[in-house]
Amino acid sequence: MSKSISNENIQKYHNDLLDRKEAKVMQRAVSHNGINSSAANFEAEGNMKPNFSIEINTGEVANQKHSGRCWIFAALNTMRHNLAKNFNLSGDFELSQIYTTFWDKFEKCNWFLENIIKTADEPLTSRRVSWLLDSPQQDGGQWDMLCAVIEKYGVVPQSAMVETAVSNDTSELNVVLNQKLRMDAIQLRELVSQNSSDIEKVKDEMLSEIYRVLVYSFGEPVSEFNFEYRDEKNEYHIDTDLTPKKFFDKYVNLNLEDYVSIINSPTLDKPYEKTYTVDMLGNVIDGRQVKHLNLEMDRLEELTITQLKNGESVWFGSDVSKESDRKKGIMDDNLYSKDELFDIDLLMSKDEQLDYHQSVMNHAMVITGVDIVDGQPTKWKVENSWGNQVGSKGYFVMSESWFRRFTYQVVINKKYLSEEDKKNQEQDPVVLDPWDPMGTLAFNEK
């Protein structure tokens, strides 16, 4: 039987508070300064100086502005690093994020409509249908979804397709698209219930309307372009009549199949050395499947360091909302001593954080350096996509303890995997529910 809070309970809690000599002082400090400011650990901040024993020069940071496209920015950043180095481009060179965003959103809309058709025989109250309707499409995504778009559509330099007011703040577009997709869902579910032969025709008309919305918002994706640039020696270059796929093959020149997702999810339902995918998570129909190899954190960290030592930056997904200072560019779970401030226990294990919804991957960035002291990593250099007004010209410092506690995913070149890792990665994946924590999309806005 449920029990309400009685007056006697409240009096007891009040008396317990009175027994604390520091209570009035703490109340004044916290209420006047705020929780984080009162709990700030200045010693921890002093330990997060941006000095690293292994560091990759990656140029200026990008700025996703008010959009949740961190996963696209982070992935294109990893690709532009080698491109800029190989072709002596200036540090502010960028690949077009809006080009990739256009095709990602278009494919996500088709993905949603197809899943609505597949689940049309389920009631609206089913968890799967409810999950679909909660967010028909959004800005967020996963590494494998990025690969699926690029493998189909290629990439272009930012000069070929530039950002717009809508791409810089996608909130209004998402409202329009999601309302339209929910209305489309009504019509498609009705057509399925009628066993109509017009389903594909109607869906095609819907996609034509969605394409129009995206073109008005982003501009029409370029299909052929010239690539003009001056290198760091100020020498002029031009490459004419390029397609997005030709540009990717010639300038980026990566085999995306070589890069795989490694996760650390220490929950009981996901044994290590197994692969996992997520039901109904993706964008390109018949494109690359989202697939994760779950490894222990020691192994994930070892692979990350190996890739950095070989001059390759590392795309990673984490919970940036936890124990971080955006302005100072510090991510450290010792940054705030909130448990000491309130004299309460706030420590949860990594598996408990995931199982009890305390933490989830919500942002993708790029690891570009690590500081190794006496053979052990102590802190990491992180390239964010929130512009150069935060952190150290847009770069963040991540403590070793924060990395282990709040990092859930890295993308690693298969050549750095052991033979056992490779064998395990080739396994058919276990299919997780759509709402599983490892199905969460990286989407955090600036």
Side-chain angles (χ1 to χ4, degrees):
M1 181 177 178
S2 300
K3 183 178 179 181
S4 65
I5 300 173
S6 67
N7 289 334
E8 289 78 11
N9 292 139
I10 295 174
Q11 187 60 48
K12 177 182 178 299
Y13 307 149
H14 174 70
N15 292 337
D16 289 344
L17 187 63
L18 290 179
D19 288 339
R20 291 178 171 270
K21 294 180 180 180
E22 78 282 4
K24 288 295 183 182
V25 175
M26 298 300 290
Q27 179 184 344
R28 290 193 293 269
V30 176
S31 61
H32 180 72
N33 298 301
I35 293 175
N36 283 354
S37 294
S38 300
N41 184 346
F42 297 105
E43 181 180 348
E45 183 179 332
N47 292 332
M48 292 293 101
K49 300 300 182 184
N51 301 311
F52 307 94
S53 58
I54 298 172
E55 190 171 2
I56 300 170
N57 182 17
T58 51
E60 298 181 18
V61 300
N63 192 343
Q64 68 186 77
K65 297 191 176 177
H66 297 288
S67 71
R69 298 176 292 156
C70 58
W71 61 291
I72 291 176
F73 274 70
L76 294 181
N77 284 342
T78 64
M79 296 175 190
R80 71 168 173 148
H81 295 160
N82 284 336
L83 190 160
K85 180 177 65 176
N86 292 338
F87 293 92
N88 297 315
L89 300 178
S90 64
D92 62 351
F93 171 81
E94 293 183 38
L95 295 168
S96 175
Q97 299 92 357
I98 192 175
Y99 175 83
T100 303
T101 301
F102 183 104
W103 291 120
D104 170 64
K105 283 195 172 292
F106 190 56
E107 290 286 350
K108 277 177 181 169
C109 290
N110 183 54
W111 183 274
F112 170 80
L113 297 175
E114 285 292 321
N115 276 294
I116 285 295
I117 294 170
K118 289 178 183 177
T119 59
D121 60 339
E122 299 181 30
L124 286 172
T125 53
S126 84
R127 191 171 182 183
R128 281 160 53 85
V129 175
S130 178
W131 181 86
L132 282 170
L133 294 175
D134 277 346
S135 184
Q137 65 77 48
Q138 68 309 105
D139 289 355
Q142 273 281 350
W143 170 264
D144 288 316
M145 294 165 63
L146 183 283
C147 293
V149 170
I150 291 179
E151 286 166 349
K152 184 171 182 178
Y153 296 104
V155 297
V156 302
Q158 197 175 70
S159 57
M161 189 170 178
V162 299
E163 296 287 306
T164 68
V166 178
S167 66
N168 285 332
D169 186 346
T170 52
S171 57
E172 294 177 347
L173 173 62
N174 286 332
V175 169
V176 172
L177 284 178
N178 287 338
Q179 183 172 353
K180 172 168 174 45
L181 288 170
R182 290 182 180 113
M183 291 184 66
D184 291 345
I186 297 172
Q187 188 175 0
L188 288 175
R189 284 175 61 89
E190 180 64 26
L191 288 173
V192 172
S193 71
Q194 297 170 358
N195 199 25
S196 172
S197 60
D198 292 332
I199 293 174
E200 284 304 314
K201 176 184 175 183
V202 171
K203 195 196 85 166
D204 190 58
E205 293 171 353
M206 293 171 174
L207 287 172
S208 180
E209 294 172 342
I210 290 166
Y211 187 86
R212 181 167 70 247
V213 172
L214 289 172
V215 169
Y216 287 2
S217 301
F218 292 158
E220 194 152 20
V222 61
S223 59
E224 192 172 277
F225 60 95
N226 298 335
F227 181 37
E228 293 182 88
Y229 66 94
R230 287 189 179 274
D231 61 25
E232 290 184 334
K233 296 180 180 179
N234 203 36
E235 293 179 355
Y236 174 79
H237 303 266
I238 184 169
D239 198 349
T240 60
D241 302 325
L242 289 167
T243 66
K245 295 193 77 171
K246 285 181 180 178
F247 178 84
F248 178 82
D249 292 341
K250 180 174 181 178
Y251 288 94
V252 180
N253 192 27
L254 286 178
N255 181 2
L256 295 178
E257 288 294 328
D258 288 340
Y259 291 84
V260 295
S261 168
I262 307 296
I263 63 170
N264 176 247
S265 180
T267 51
L268 292 176
D269 62 333
K270 299 183 191 69
Y272 289 128
E273 300 178 348
K274 302 289 184 183
T275 61
Y276 302 88
T277 189
V278 182
D279 187 23
M280 297 197 296
L281 176 63
N283 51 4
V284 179
I285 300 294
D286 297 327
R288 179 162 166 170
Q289 178 187 44
V290 171
K291 185 178 182 181
H292 307 302
L293 172 61
N294 194 22
L295 296 179
E296 294 189 29
M297 196 62 196
D298 285 348
R299 182 63 181 144
L300 182 149
E301 181 175 81
E302 180 184 359
L303 289 169
T304 303
I305 293 173
T306 298
Q307 187 155 304
L308 288 172
K309 285 182 175 179
N310 283 274
E312 289 192 70
S313 56
V314 179
W315 186 102
F316 81 112
S318 65
D319 186 353
V320 76
S321 65
K322 297 294 186 293
E323 312 306 318
S324 62
D325 187 317
R326 293 189 176 203
K327 185 63 178 176
K328 295 176 181 177
I330 296 174
M331 297 179 290
D332 182 10
D333 52 347
N334 293 311
L335 191 59
Y336 305 111
S337 300
K338 287 175 279 191
D339 50 353
E340 294 179 8
L341 177 68
F342 293 110
D343 193 19
I344 56 177
D345 184 6
L346 293 174
L347 184 62
M348 300 174 73
S349 63
K350 196 169 186 179
D351 58 315
E352 290 170 340
Q353 290 175 171
L354 291 170
D355 284 340
Y356 286 85
H357 301 200
Q358 172 59 21
S359 178
V360 70
M361 186 180 76
N362 56 27
H363 191 49
M365 297 174 283
V366 183
I367 298 176
T368 63
V370 61
D371 194 29
I372 298 179
V373 179
D374 296 329
Q376 298 298 319
T378 60
K379 58 182 182 291
W380 305 75
K381 182 179 180 182
V382 174
E383 179 182 7
N384 208 338
S385 53
W386 291 342
N388 59 14
Q389 298 302 307
V390 296
S392 177
K393 296 183 179 180
Y395 286 87
F396 281 43
V397 180
M398 172 174 58
S399 72
E400 164 67 359
S401 56
W402 196 99
F403 172 80
R404 297 184 70 88
R405 184 176 175 187
F406 295 117
T407 292
Y408 298 108
Q409 179 184 13
V410 295
V411 170
I412 300 295
N413 192 314
K414 285 192 291 189
K415 67 184 179 182
Y416 303 123
L417 302 182
S418 67
E419 290 305 313
E420 183 179 2
D421 290 334
K422 292 176 183 176
K423 182 179 178 181
N424 290 332
Q425 200 280 328
E426 291 169 358
Q427 298 174 83
D428 291 334
V430 175
V431 180
L432 303 173
D433 290 326
W435 43 86
D436 188 272
M438 290 301 106
T440 305
L441 303 179
F443 66 90
N444 202 280
E445 295 185 6
K446 180 184 174 183

